[in-house]
Amino acid sequence: MHSENLKPIYSYIAQQIVDDYKITKGKCLDIGTGHGAMGIELAKITDFEMYFIDINPDSIEEVKQNVKNTNLNNKSHYLKADVCNLPLMDNFADFIVSRGSLWFWHDQIKGLQEINRVLKKGGVAFVGGGLGRYTPQDLREKLQGKGRKKLIERGETGFLSGDELQALLDKTGIDNCRLISDVENKPATWIEIRK
Ligand SMILES: C[S@@+](CC[C@H](N)C(=O)[O-])C[C@H]1O[C@@H](n2cnc3c(N)ncnc32)[C@H](O)[C@@H]1O
């Protein structure tokens, strides 16, 4: 699941998140964490107490090892859990990030509703996929070319963007949310929920 080519993008996205939302402490969930790079890069530049969450037990083992290798000072927790049934109380998290995972959820509406349920009042969730706004154009072009080819080869066509993402959001009944694009005038690939 981990691509070496994607490695640089996580720190760009983490910096974008901190710049845009200015939330740097409290509880942060990285849902569908995989190898954990998104949460790890965010933890490096914040005081977040991290919750690395994934449905796949192998990912949980991988992220534990990656956090260990990174020598993070942030308090970190590891949950093998389904986004559609999070074992967390309401109003729990100050920030939630989920990158590259939404397309794999077995019930995307339920998953987004669960994220909204566990998000604290005043908190923000940033869910979707893409390379973020700060990834330089040359790297973006290189990665998008490779990424698309791989998706086609693997027959993965579940990626949602633009109108499809809006239609999904409409079905959730969640207020205070909007779609975000990485690049101006391109279809949105992220959902932002503010509570
Ligand atoms: C493509 S990886 C993304 C990894 C990482 N977040 C990134 O941005 O590179 C998708 C991850 O979502 C996880 N996942 C899929 N369905 C899930 C679900 N229902 N609940 C939680 N995690 C899920 C997978 O196990 C996998 O680790």
Side-chain angles (χ1 to χ4, degrees):
M1 200 77 69
H2 182 39
S3 156
E4 276 300 307
N5 297 322
L6 278 178
K7 223 171 172 183
I9 70 157
Y10 299 98
S11 54
Y12 285 123
I13 299 174
Q15 192 60 54
Q16 173 185 326
I17 285 172
V18 168
D19 290 349
D20 287 357
Y21 302 118
K22 307 205 166 29
I23 302 174
T24 55
K25 52 186 186 201
K27 293 180 167 55
C28 174
L29 318 183
D30 177 11
I31 299 181
T33 185
H35 40 70
M38 189 64 257
I40 289 172
E41 292 304 322
L42 205 42
K44 280 185 192 169
I45 57 168
T46 63
D47 295 322
F48 280 143
E49 178 177 349
M50 293 301 304
Y51 288 76
F52 295 95
I53 301 174
D54 205 287
I55 199 167
N56 181 350
D58 295 340
S59 292
I60 294 301
E61 290 314 307
E62 189 183 353
V63 69
K64 268 186 196 168
Q65 193 54 50
N66 289 341
V67 167
K68 215 170 162 186
N69 295 343
T70 313
N71 291 322
L72 279 186
N73 289 322
N74 310 57
K75 193 167 181 190
S76 298
H77 311 262
Y78 305 90
L79 300 181
K80 191 204 89 58
D82 182 351
V83 65
C84 302
N85 185 20
L86 290 170
L88 300 169
M89 59 187 187
D90 297 357
N91 303 311
F92 180 80
D94 296 86
F95 193 82
I96 301 176
V97 66
S98 178
R99 184 198 169 275
S101 186
L102 170 68
W103 339 117
F104 301 98
W105 301 350
H106 57 91
D107 185 342
Q108 294 167 329
I109 297 172
K110 183 70 184 146
L112 289 168
Q113 288 169 337
E114 274 292 89
I115 284 177
N116 191 48
R117 179 184 69 75
V118 302
L119 189 63
K120 252 186 209 168
K121 199 167 165 20
V124 178
F126 191 57
V127 180
L131 306 177
R133 211 169 62 234
Y134 291 172
T135 296
Q137 184 59 19
D138 53 345
L139 181 57
R140 185 180 295 285
E141 279 168 15
K142 199 168 133 199
L143 292 174
Q144 281 176 337
K146 276 195 183 137
R148 246 184 241 124
K149 199 159 165 256
K150 268 196 190 152
L151 281 179
I152 293 164
E153 277 165 12
R154 292 204 301 249
E156 286 174 8
T157 52
F159 185 78
L160 305 178
S161 74
D163 293 346
E164 292 164 318
L165 218 45
Q166 185 61 55
L168 170 63
L169 205 44
D170 290 345
K171 288 185 202 147
T172 64
I174 299 171
D175 298 326
N176 292 329
C177 49
R178 64 178 180 136
L179 297 183
I180 296 194
S181 306
D182 283 339
V183 180
E184 220 180 321
N185 300 322
K186 291 275 182 198
T189 54
W190 297 93
I191 294 170
E192 172 198 277
I193 303 172
R194 287 176 183 265
K195 206 165 158 193

